[in-house]
Amino acid sequence: QVQLVESGGGLVQSGGSLRLSCASPRIRNSDYGVGWFRQAPGKEREGVGCVSQPDGLPRNTYYAFFAHGRFTITTDVAEARVYLQINGAVPEDTAKYFCTVGPSYACDSALRGHNYVYWGEETQVTVSS
């Protein structure tokens, strides 16, 4: 069974919007965490944000400092998808974007990636100036 499928990357003009999708059957679990990461050319991978759904507890969402105000993570449990909405795109957002799923504790404010279980194939986002 496919565990994770990413989609939605592409080319967008500066100031435009783009929505990435991460589909995984694990998002229908009572406990899950989904993270978004990106890696720009010549740079290290960095966390963008994540959503943590602990079993029986409220859902929490965390964002990197640069993502506040422009990036939004939303969850559609019925569709088993987590979305990353990018608004007001800037050329510095150009990168390969990855989503990853795992247990809820994989997602925290530190945006580390080491506790996730499955990683998706990258999707390229290119922002033209």
Side-chain angles (χ1 to χ4, degrees), residues 3-125:
Q3 295 295 331
L4 195 154
V5 177
E6 281 186 60
S7 60
L11 175 66
V12 62
Q13 290 187 336
S14 183
S17 298
L18 203 63
R19 189 176 74 165
L20 309 183
S21 169
C22 179
S24 172
R26 289 177 170 255
I27 294 170
R28 292 198 177 101
N29 291 350
S30 60
D31 182 288
Y32 65 86
V34 176
W36 286 97
F37 293 80
R38 71 182 188 181
Q39 187 167 19
K43 295 187 177 181
E44 293 188 356
R45 187 184 69 191
E46 63 180 350
V48 178
C50 66
V51 56
S52 172
Q53 175 62 72
D55 187 10
L57 295 174
R59 185 183 299 160
N60 288 306
T61 308
Y62 304 95
Y63 296 96
F65 180 78
F66 69 82
H68 278 282
R70 294 195 303 113
F71 291 68
T72 304
I73 295 174
T74 57
T75 303
D76 186 331
V77 175
E79 294 292 325
R81 290 179 182 270
V82 170
Y83 297 98
L84 177 68
Q85 178 75 34
I86 305 172
N87 295 325
V90 297
E92 291 73 23
D93 292 329
T94 295
K96 295 177 181 179
Y97 284 72
F98 305 82
C99 77
T100 180
V101 298
S104 60
Y105 63 79
C107 164
D108 59 23
S109 59
L111 300 179
R112 295 164 295 185
H114 60 278
N115 284 321
Y116 290 101
V117 178
Y118 297 99
W119 289 78
E121 297 290 331
E122 68 217 30
T123 186
Q124 178 70 39
V125 171

